[in-house]
mmCIF file of all heavy atoms in Angstrom:
data_model
loop_
_atom_site.group_PDB
_atom_site.id
_atom_site.type_symbol
_atom_site.label_atom_id
_atom_site.label_comp_id
_atom_site.label_asym_id
_atom_site.label_seq_id
_atom_site.Cartn_x
_atom_site.Cartn_y
_atom_site.Cartn_z
ATOM 1 N N GLY A 1 10.750 85.936 50.476
ATOM 2 C CA GLY A 1 11.644 85.121 51.427
ATOM 3 C C GLY A 1 10.770 84.200 52.204
ATOM 4 O O GLY A 1 11.248 82.963 52.290
ATOM 5 N N ILE A 2 9.717 84.541 52.787
ATOM 6 C CA ILE A 2 8.905 83.626 53.459
ATOM 7 C C ILE A 2 8.253 82.632 52.687
ATOM 8 O O ILE A 2 8.277 81.393 53.148
ATOM 9 C CB ILE A 2 7.800 84.395 54.397
ATOM 10 C CG1 ILE A 2 8.510 85.216 55.392
ATOM 11 C CG2 ILE A 2 6.804 83.462 54.949
ATOM 12 C CD1 ILE A 2 7.799 86.138 56.295
ATOM 13 N N LEU A 3 7.823 82.891 51.506
ATOM 14 C CA LEU A 3 7.289 81.868 50.623
ATOM 15 C C LEU A 3 8.405 80.931 50.195
ATOM 16 O O LEU A 3 8.191 79.696 50.101
ATOM 17 C CB LEU A 3 6.590 82.434 49.428
ATOM 18 C CG LEU A 3 5.303 83.223 49.637
ATOM 19 C CD1 LEU A 3 4.838 83.870 48.358
ATOM 20 C CD2 LEU A 3 4.286 82.184 50.221
ATOM 21 N N GLY A 4 9.608 81.384 49.880
ATOM 22 C CA GLY A 4 10.702 80.567 49.619
ATOM 23 C C GLY A 4 11.132 79.605 50.829
ATOM 24 O O GLY A 4 11.424 78.455 50.500
ATOM 25 N N LEU A 5 11.129 80.096 51.889
ATOM 26 C CA LEU A 5 11.421 79.343 53.119
ATOM 27 C C LEU A 5 10.287 78.224 53.441
ATOM 28 O O LEU A 5 10.690 77.184 53.772
ATOM 29 C CB LEU A 5 11.539 80.150 54.437
ATOM 30 C CG LEU A 5 12.863 80.887 54.452
ATOM 31 C CD1 LEU A 5 12.824 82.027 55.623
ATOM 32 C CD2 LEU A 5 14.036 80.040 54.670
ATOM 33 N N THR A 6 9.121 78.594 53.084
ATOM 34 C CA THR A 6 8.097 77.546 53.177
ATOM 35 C C THR A 6 8.205 76.502 52.132
ATOM 36 O O THR A 6 8.153 75.257 52.442
ATOM 37 C CB THR A 6 6.663 78.196 52.971
ATOM 38 O OG1 THR A 6 6.502 79.276 53.967
ATOM 39 C CG2 THR A 6 5.463 77.188 53.156
ATOM 40 N N GLY A 7 8.583 76.866 50.887
ATOM 41 C CA GLY A 7 8.833 75.890 49.915
ATOM 42 C C GLY A 7 10.141 75.021 50.191
ATOM 43 O O GLY A 7 10.086 73.813 49.883
ATOM 44 N N ALA A 8 11.113 75.700 50.840
ATOM 45 C CA ALA A 8 12.301 75.050 51.163
ATOM 46 C C ALA A 8 11.991 73.876 52.252
ATOM 47 O O ALA A 8 12.550 72.823 52.241
ATOM 48 C CB ALA A 8 13.397 75.926 51.773
ATOM 49 N N VAL A 9 11.142 74.225 53.199
ATOM 50 C CA VAL A 9 10.777 73.184 54.172
ATOM 51 C C VAL A 9 9.968 71.997 53.595
ATOM 52 O O VAL A 9 10.492 70.779 53.779
ATOM 53 C CB VAL A 9 9.828 73.840 55.275
ATOM 54 C CG1 VAL A 9 9.104 72.703 56.166
ATOM 55 C CG2 VAL A 9 10.578 74.809 56.159
ATOM 56 N N ILE A 10 9.179 72.269 52.580
ATOM 57 C CA ILE A 10 8.475 71.187 51.936
ATOM 58 C C ILE A 10 9.404 70.387 51.074
ATOM 59 O O ILE A 10 9.337 69.126 51.026
ATOM 60 C CB ILE A 10 7.295 71.770 51.062
ATOM 61 C CG1 ILE A 10 6.253 72.419 51.950
ATOM 62 C CG2 ILE A 10 6.724 70.699 50.177
ATOM 63 C CD1 ILE A 10 5.197 73.315 51.239
ATOM 64 N N ALA A 11 10.339 71.094 50.382
ATOM 65 C CA ALA A 11 11.319 70.278 49.507
ATOM 66 C C ALA A 11 12.344 69.679 50.338
ATOM 67 O O ALA A 11 12.761 68.443 49.936
ATOM 68 C CB ALA A 11 11.948 71.324 48.520
ATOM 69 N N ALA A 12 12.673 70.121 51.517
ATOM 70 C CA ALA A 12 13.618 69.350 52.346
ATOM 71 C C ALA A 12 13.023 68.131 52.875
ATOM 72 O O ALA A 12 13.753 67.024 53.084
ATOM 73 C CB ALA A 12 14.045 70.290 53.476
ATOM 74 N N ALA A 13 11.776 68.055 53.105
ATOM 75 C CA ALA A 13 11.052 66.945 53.614
ATOM 76 C C ALA A 13 11.074 65.767 52.536
ATOM 77 O O ALA A 13 10.998 64.601 52.927
ATOM 78 C CB ALA A 13 9.655 67.161 54.057
ATOM 79 N N GLY A 14 11.217 66.154 51.300
ATOM 80 C CA GLY A 14 11.139 65.154 50.237
ATOM 81 C C GLY A 14 12.573 64.562 49.895
ATOM 82 O O GLY A 14 12.682 63.768 48.951
ATOM 83 N N ILE A 15 13.604 65.084 50.494
ATOM 84 C CA ILE A 15 14.975 64.482 50.180
ATOM 85 C C ILE A 15 15.040 63.106 50.786
ATOM 86 O O ILE A 15 14.716 62.788 51.840
ATOM 87 C CB ILE A 15 16.064 65.328 50.870
ATOM 88 C CG1 ILE A 15 16.014 66.764 50.160
ATOM 89 C CG2 ILE A 15 17.364 64.814 50.606
ATOM 90 C CD1 ILE A 15 16.898 67.770 50.880
ATOM 91 N N ARG A 16 15.494 62.148 49.885
ATOM 92 C CA ARG A 16 15.576 60.705 50.241
ATOM 93 C C ARG A 16 17.092 60.329 50.288
ATOM 94 O O ARG A 16 17.888 60.739 49.511
ATOM 95 C CB ARG A 16 14.826 59.893 49.231
ATOM 96 C CG ARG A 16 13.472 60.174 49.214
ATOM 97 C CD ARG A 16 12.741 59.619 50.504
ATOM 98 N NE ARG A 16 11.330 60.160 50.483
ATOM 99 C CZ ARG A 16 10.766 60.857 51.513
ATOM 100 N NH1 ARG A 16 11.501 61.089 52.593
ATOM 101 N NH2 ARG A 16 9.598 61.160 51.545
ATOM 102 N N ALA A 17 17.355 59.421 51.231
ATOM 103 C CA ALA A 17 18.739 58.936 51.296
ATOM 104 C C ALA A 17 19.034 58.006 50.098
ATOM 105 O O ALA A 17 18.211 57.220 49.577
ATOM 106 C CB ALA A 17 18.887 58.086 52.618
ATOM 107 N N GLY A 18 20.223 58.123 49.569
ATOM 108 C CA GLY A 18 20.626 57.270 48.481
ATOM 109 C C GLY A 18 20.274 57.897 47.104
ATOM 110 O O GLY A 18 20.717 57.386 46.062
ATOM 111 N N ASP A 19 19.398 58.899 46.959
ATOM 112 C CA ASP A 19 19.204 59.531 45.684
ATOM 113 C C ASP A 19 20.383 60.391 45.320
ATOM 114 O O ASP A 19 20.774 61.290 46.051
ATOM 115 C CB ASP A 19 17.955 60.399 45.757
ATOM 116 C CG ASP A 19 16.650 59.724 45.810
ATOM 117 O OD1 ASP A 19 16.667 58.469 45.570
ATOM 118 O OD2 ASP A 19 15.613 60.277 46.228
ATOM 119 N N THR A 20 20.889 60.058 44.135
ATOM 120 C CA THR A 20 22.078 60.816 43.644
ATOM 121 C C THR A 20 21.624 61.555 42.349
ATOM 122 O O THR A 20 20.836 61.075 41.624
ATOM 123 C CB THR A 20 23.243 59.980 43.369
ATOM 124 O OG1 THR A 20 22.958 58.956 42.460
ATOM 125 C CG2 THR A 20 23.699 59.282 44.688
ATOM 126 N N LEU A 21 22.400 62.640 42.044
ATOM 127 C CA LEU A 21 22.270 63.415 40.922
ATOM 128 C C LEU A 21 23.674 63.650 40.287
ATOM 129 O O LEU A 21 24.370 64.312 40.977
ATOM 130 C CB LEU A 21 21.505 64.697 41.178
ATOM 131 C CG LEU A 21 21.300 65.670 40.004
ATOM 132 C CD1 LEU A 21 20.367 65.088 38.967
ATOM 133 C CD2 LEU A 21 20.753 66.978 40.593
ATOM 134 N N ALA A 22 23.921 63.116 39.133
ATOM 135 C CA ALA A 22 25.166 63.305 38.503
ATOM 136 C C ALA A 22 25.271 64.665 37.773
ATOM 137 O O ALA A 22 24.431 64.981 36.957
ATOM 138 C CB ALA A 22 25.553 62.220 37.538
ATOM 139 N N ILE A 23 26.183 65.526 38.054
ATOM 140 C CA ILE A 23 26.386 66.887 37.552
ATOM 141 C C ILE A 23 27.840 66.965 37.104
ATOM 142 O O ILE A 23 28.758 66.973 38.039
ATOM 143 C CB ILE A 23 25.963 67.986 38.488
ATOM 144 C CG1 ILE A 23 24.510 67.841 38.810
ATOM 145 C CG2 ILE A 23 26.282 69.372 37.849
ATOM 146 C CD1 ILE A 23 24.017 69.000 39.759
ATOM 147 N N GLY A 24 28.033 67.033 35.829
ATOM 148 C CA GLY A 24 29.462 67.082 35.439
ATOM 149 C C GLY A 24 30.189 65.822 35.896
ATOM 150 O O GLY A 24 29.775 64.764 35.573
ATOM 151 N N GLY A 25 31.391 66.039 36.508
ATOM 152 C CA GLY A 25 32.135 64.942 36.934
ATOM 153 C C GLY A 25 31.881 64.517 38.389
ATOM 154 O O GLY A 25 32.611 63.681 38.917
ATOM 155 N N SER A 26 30.969 65.214 39.057
ATOM 156 C CA SER A 26 30.634 64.937 40.386
ATOM 157 C C SER A 26 29.184 64.524 40.596
ATOM 158 O O SER A 26 28.516 64.492 39.637
ATOM 159 C CB SER A 26 30.938 66.212 41.257
ATOM 160 O OG SER A 26 30.784 66.020 42.595
ATOM 161 N N GLN A 27 28.884 64.349 41.879
ATOM 162 C CA GLN A 27 27.509 63.935 42.203
ATOM 163 C C GLN A 27 26.992 64.813 43.450
ATOM 164 O O GLN A 27 27.758 65.240 44.249
ATOM 165 C CB GLN A 27 27.408 62.474 42.517
ATOM 166 C CG GLN A 27 27.647 61.507 41.414
ATOM 167 C CD GLN A 27 27.483 60.099 41.852
ATOM 168 O OE1 GLN A 27 27.445 59.745 43.085
ATOM 169 N NE2 GLN A 27 27.400 59.160 40.956
ATOM 170 N N LEU A 28 25.682 64.828 43.419
ATOM 171 C CA LEU A 28 24.974 65.371 44.704
ATOM 172 C C LEU A 28 24.141 64.188 45.201
ATOM 173 O O LEU A 28 23.324 63.630 44.525
ATOM 174 C CB LEU A 28 24.050 66.555 44.280
ATOM 175 C CG LEU A 28 24.767 67.778 43.797
ATOM 176 C CD1 LEU A 28 23.582 68.786 43.357
ATOM 177 C CD2 LEU A 28 25.678 68.382 44.733
ATOM 178 N N ALA A 29 24.528 63.856 46.478
ATOM 179 C CA ALA A 29 23.885 62.719 47.077
ATOM 180 C C ALA A 29 23.028 63.110 48.235
ATOM 181 O O ALA A 29 23.434 63.937 49.136
ATOM 182 C CB ALA A 29 24.916 61.666 47.503
ATOM 183 N N GLY A 30 21.864 62.483 48.358
ATOM 184 C CA GLY A 30 21.041 62.769 49.459
ATOM 185 C C GLY A 30 21.362 61.856 50.680
ATOM 186 O O GLY A 30 21.904 60.789 50.439
ATOM 187 N N SER A 31 21.047 62.240 51.799
ATOM 188 C CA SER A 31 21.219 61.319 53.019
ATOM 189 C C SER A 31 20.237 61.784 54.043
ATOM 190 O O SER A 31 19.547 62.805 53.927
ATOM 191 C CB SER A 31 22.705 61.535 53.554
ATOM 192 O OG SER A 31 22.862 62.775 54.063
ATOM 193 N N ASP A 32 20.073 60.882 55.048
ATOM 194 C CA ASP A 32 19.178 61.115 56.192
ATOM 195 C C ASP A 32 19.634 62.321 56.875
ATOM 196 O O ASP A 32 18.823 63.212 57.275
ATOM 197 C CB ASP A 32 19.071 59.957 56.996
ATOM 198 C CG ASP A 32 18.399 58.738 56.429
ATOM 199 O OD1 ASP A 32 17.504 59.020 55.519
ATOM 200 O OD2 ASP A 32 18.668 57.661 56.809
ATOM 201 N N TYR A 33 20.872 62.561 57.131
ATOM 202 C CA TYR A 33 21.488 63.658 57.852
ATOM 203 C C TYR A 33 21.088 64.956 57.004
ATOM 204 O O TYR A 33 20.701 65.958 57.602
ATOM 205 C CB TYR A 33 22.909 63.552 58.083
ATOM 206 C CG TYR A 33 23.502 64.702 58.764
ATOM 207 C CD1 TYR A 33 23.298 64.950 60.153
ATOM 208 C CD2 TYR A 33 24.301 65.701 58.148
ATOM 209 C CE1 TYR A 33 23.804 66.063 60.842
ATOM 210 C CE2 TYR A 33 24.800 66.754 58.720
ATOM 211 C CZ TYR A 33 24.504 67.036 60.041
ATOM 212 O OH TYR A 33 25.083 68.042 60.780
ATOM 213 N N LEU A 34 21.339 64.913 55.751
ATOM 214 C CA LEU A 34 21.103 66.016 54.912
ATOM 215 C C LEU A 34 19.552 66.491 55.014
ATOM 216 O O LEU A 34 19.299 67.689 55.157
ATOM 217 C CB LEU A 34 21.533 65.896 53.485
ATOM 218 C CG LEU A 34 21.038 66.848 52.452
ATOM 219 C CD1 LEU A 34 21.744 68.183 52.779
ATOM 220 C CD2 LEU A 34 21.388 66.362 51.031
#
């Protein structure tokens, strides 16, 4: 759990606004707030 949370902090810092990922008929979009 602690290693996963550490990895989550690092991965969250890499989220960029405007990056989208198409999955099926929808999208996952990054934002500054996210």
Side-chain angles (χ1 to χ4, degrees):
I2 289 178
L3 290 176
L5 286 168
T6 304
V9 169
I10 294 167
I15 297 173
R16 298 288 171 235
D19 286 345
T20 60
L21 176 67
I23 297 179
S26 185
Q27 292 183 345
L28 296 176
S31 67
D32 290 331
Y33 178 73
L34 172 62

